[in-house]
Amino acid sequence: MKNKATIFITILACLPVWTTLLFPAAGSCQDRIRTTQPRVMIDPGHGGRDSGLLLPSGLSEKTVTLTLSRLVAEQINKQYKVLLTRQDDRFLDTIARTEAANTQQADLFVSIHLKANTSNQATVFHYKPCDNRPIPAVGKDLAWHWQHLPHEDKSRQLCKTLTQSIASLFPGQEPQIISAPVAMLAGCQMPAVLIEPFALKTLPLDESSRIVWIKKYAAAIKTGIESYLNTL
């Protein structure tokens, strides 16, 4: 009886090792949770030698989009993994931004830019081919441009939740949804939009007032993204 008990205890002690050897993919529950965590890719427009819009005061679009993107990333619920295409003032071409989202297997892609006019009517773009023909891009074949087409419906849904969120926080505004052959969105292998929430020219000159303004829009974009993710 004593020998049987010893054998039984030995078997129990070896179970974790056998489980790891026989089922290596099941070795870490934490890893499985990490791989299923929804990923949000935020793209701060412009950067580096590409300033985007530039005011006489020296305030540039690239600076504001990075500030806004960081604030969105900070506010999004921690149950989602948030990634940025750039964390600092560096240049990235259109293809690099799209490929970053594809490589990271993002569940959605939001590129943030600002309006060139003086209107604060937010505009959200989703991809639509021009006359059902893809827009060519340097170094990419036609197949790359068709990658986003299966995600068009969900991209429109993302547009809708973003515009609804902005409209609720800023009564009187009627955000626009526009379908256009935006080259950056063409190769995205996930729902993807480009948003212009407000005009650079309308930002307050005082830095503290400007940050308060930008934070309000960050909250609206954050809410729109989470509302979309909650439908998945």
Side-chain angles (χ1 to χ4, degrees), residues 87-140:
Q87 298 274 2
D88 50 25
D89 184 18
R90 68 178 63 194
F91 174 78
L92 291 173
D93 63 26
T94 298
I95 303 302
R97 297 169 189 270
T98 303
E99 290 186 334
N102 292 341
T103 301
Q104 293 292 336
Q105 298 181 333
D107 293 283
L108 63 87
F109 176 84
V110 178
S111 185
I112 299 178
H113 293 251
L114 303 180
K115 300 176 75 70
N117 54 25
T118 57
S119 169
N120 279 330
Q121 181 185 36
T123 305
V124 188
F125 298 86
H126 65 87
Y127 180 72
K128 181 180 181 182
C130 182
D131 297 327
N132 292 320
R133 290 179 288 108
I135 300 298
V138 177
K140 294 297 179 182

Side-chain angles (χ1 to χ4, degrees), residues 14 17 31 33 47-48 67 107 126 135 142 145 168 176 190 200:
C14 291
V17 177
D31 288 341
I33 293 174
T67 300
D107 293 283
H126 65 87
I135 300 298
L142 289 178
H145 295 277
S168 66
Q176 290 181 306
M190 74 290 296
L200 179 66

Side-chain angles (χ1 to χ4, degrees), residues 7-87:
I7 293 172
F8 181 70
I9 292 172
T10 303
I11 291 173
L12 287 178
C14 291
L15 277 177
V17 177
W18 293 344
T19 301
T20 303
L21 291 173
L22 294 173
F23 307 103
S28 172
C29 179
Q30 192 172 17
D31 288 341
R32 293 202 303 277
I33 293 174
R34 190 160 52 243
T35 58
T36 59
Q37 187 180 26
R39 294 187 167 198
V40 179
M41 179 65 79
I42 306 294
D43 172 46
H46 308 284
R49 66 176 183 267
D50 176 15
S51 296
L53 302 170
L54 187 62
L55 297 183
S57 64
L59 184 64
S60 63
E61 182 177 6
K62 68 176 183 179
T63 301
V64 177
T65 58
L66 182 58
T67 300
L68 177 55
S69 298
R70 285 172 172 168
L71 288 170
V72 172
E74 289 173 5
Q75 293 184 34
I76 288 180
N77 194 302
K78 300 307 179 186
Q79 67 181 297
Y80 307 120
K81 183 174 180 63
V82 184
L83 305 163
L84 271 68
T85 55
R86 67 179 180 96
Q87 298 274 2

